[in-house]
Amino acid sequence: MTYTKLLPVKWMLVLLFFLPVYVAGHEIEDPCGLELGAEQSASWFPMLEGKKVGLLVNHTSVVKGVHLLDTMLALGVDVQRIFVPEHGFRGTADAGELIKDGVDVPSGLPIVSLYGASKKPDQDQMKGLEVVVFDIQDVGVRFYTYISSMHYMMEACAENDVPMVVFDRPNPNGDYVDGPVLKAGFTSFVGMHPIPVVHGLTVGELALMINGERWLKNGTTCELIVLEMNNYRHDLAYSLPVNPSPNLPNDLSIRLYPSLCFFEGTEVSVGRGTEFPFQVIGYPDPAYGDFSFTPAPGPGARHPLQSGQRCYGLDLRNEEAAHRFTLRYFLEFYERSGRSDDFISRRRFFNLLAGTDRLAQQIEAGWSEAAIRADWQEDLKNYRRMRECYLLYP
């Protein structure tokens, strides 16, 4: 494991980064003087100057309202290749939609998909690169796949002797740790590490953990530099200036996401195909609740579950902004189904999201949320102990 905290150096072009931040026409004030890794140009420019650079980025890779790629090109960084995760470079593709290789028209640079035929860069795609930069906004949940792409890029860097630099960003669910810890036998692209559903790490801290615990293939490690944020705390309530993916359009959806994503293993809609995804839940049966909505195809949800069907259930848009992971919605809907044997209709996927088959068994056996939570505690205790070794922020 290699970690470097670089000190600022004098460089006149850094003045570029003191412009106000504008996103969607609104000025964004940095809370508590927060400075992202990507904003510290005086630190990262010397690391990249004169080197052939690969970027693992997407639409969230914004610095002062300007995409990191455009910022680097304007400063003369020799970017050779763009790697992109799920949802693509512009962040508009549906969940699970395969992303094709292409070209970024404004820059003419090749785009290599890490969510298509392959999820890991091959030797040819890494050829000639002298450093890779990862700068993507995550949401702090194990099954959100940007961290899986980071894992595979770290692996490719280790195998090709290419250093990787992580520009750290806040975790909007970083103020707590919760949920079942992933067990052996349930590793997949929606869960690659033995961590809980809500892991409480920034991407930089998680990268250090991946390296430190030797979770890369064959126990290898990559040469890793994490460019820390300044003035960040895990309990900082951070509102993302750019939506991380099409179906997480606001702060509340991001906070509800860990609780509602388990419904993706059922026929219950989480609001994909509406204006409020991951803020409502419903099924085409009035027994599920008084609130109703009808999913329809649209941007980011071309084939939403229960498309065209009136769904009945719960409107969670008045939930507290500080919402934390809970099973109560899932258990309530399971009861409203009459404890149907096929309520968990995509069992394998549900188990991969949970990181274990034990959760489904407990739900179907009638365990209460308190009893299920009690069963997680020893694993969470061990995880918290491991997590302490990799924390960069209080």
Side-chain angles (χ1 to χ4, degrees), residues 44-64:
W44 58 250
F45 183 78
M47 289 189 286
L48 307 181
E49 187 177 18
K51 296 181 179 177
K52 297 183 184 302
V53 179
L55 298 181
L56 176 44
V57 291
N58 67 0
H59 64 293
T60 68
S61 311
V62 173
V63 181
K64 302 296 185 185

Side-chain angles (χ1 to χ4, degrees), residues 69 188 231 289:
L69 170 65
S188 73
N231 303 312

Side-chain angles (χ1 to χ4, degrees), residues 47-319:
M47 289 189 286
L48 307 181
E49 187 177 18
K51 296 181 179 177
K52 297 183 184 302
V53 179
L55 298 181
L56 176 44
V57 291
N58 67 0
H59 64 293
T60 68
S61 311
V62 173
V63 181
K64 302 296 185 185
V66 180
H67 197 281
L68 180 65
L69 170 65
D70 298 326
T71 300
M72 286 188 171
L73 293 178
L75 296 175
V77 175
D78 186 9
V79 179
Q80 294 280 306
R81 210 162 296 135
I82 305 166
F83 299 91
V84 298
E86 185 177 8
H87 304 297
F89 188 46
R90 301 299 173 189
T92 55
D94 286 9
E97 179 182 343
L98 295 182
I99 308 299
K100 296 181 179 179
D101 292 348
V103 174
D104 177 53
V105 174
S107 67
L109 290 170
I111 294 177
V112 178
S113 170
L114 300 185
Y115 200 79
S118 176
K119 292 182 171 61
K120 175 180 172 180
D122 61 30
Q123 190 172 19
D124 286 341
Q125 292 164 339
M126 297 293 293
K127 188 175 182 180
L129 296 181
E130 296 175 284
V131 62
V132 168
V133 173
F134 177 95
D135 180 40
I136 293 178
Q137 178 63 61
D138 186 48
V139 301
V141 181
R142 186 183 66 221
F143 35 69
Y144 204 60
T145 64
Y146 295 158
I147 58 175
S148 299
S149 293
M150 181 177 73
H151 175 110
Y152 279 128
M153 179 56 81
M154 289 177 65
E155 205 165 86
C157 285
E159 293 170 354
N160 291 275
D161 297 319
V162 177
M164 181 164 164
V165 184
V166 174
F167 289 179
D168 215 2
R169 287 180 177 264
N171 176 353
N173 283 304
D175 55 318
Y176 72 110
V177 170
D178 205 354
V181 173
L182 184 142
K183 301 292 188 181
F186 294 92
T187 301
S188 73
F189 200 66
V190 293
M192 299 195 67
H193 312 113
I195 60 178
V197 169
V198 184
H199 54 69
L201 298 168
T202 66
V203 287
E205 291 169 331
L206 179 57
L208 292 173
M209 182 180 285
I210 291 170
N211 241 13
E213 298 301 316
R214 295 186 174 272
W215 288 339
L216 300 180
K217 186 178 179 181
N218 298 323
T220 59
T221 60
C222 75
E223 183 179 344
L224 177 66
I225 297 172
V226 176
L227 190 54
E228 291 182 42
M229 294 174 281
N230 289 320
N231 303 312
Y232 176 71
R233 297 178 56 89
H234 279 279
D235 61 2
L236 178 68
Y238 181 70
S239 180
L240 301 191
V242 179
N243 298 342
S245 56
N247 288 286
L248 293 181
N250 55 34
D251 297 339
L252 181 59
S253 66
I254 291 168
R255 294 294 289 195
L256 286 166
Y257 176 68
S259 302
L260 301 190
C261 197
F262 286 126
F263 283 106
E264 305 266 58
T266 75
E267 299 305 312
V268 174
S269 169
V270 293
R272 294 183 188 272
T274 72
E275 294 180 356
F276 28 79
F278 284 98
Q279 298 153 82
V280 298
I281 43 177
Y283 182 76
D285 183 338
Y288 285 81
D290 296 330
F291 175 72
S292 66
F293 60 92
T294 303
R302 292 188 295 176
H303 306 285
L305 184 65
Q306 305 297 355
S307 180
Q309 301 294 312
R310 181 172 291 278
C311 295
Y312 300 85
L314 300 177
D315 182 355
L316 305 177
R317 286 175 288 175
N318 290 321
E319 263 284 0

Side-chain angles (χ1 to χ4, degrees), residues 358 362 367 370-379:
R358 187 166 173 79
Q362 291 168 333
W367 287 36
I372 294 172
R373 284 185 170 281
D375 194 50
W376 298 338
Q377 295 312 306
E378 188 62 29
D379 286 343

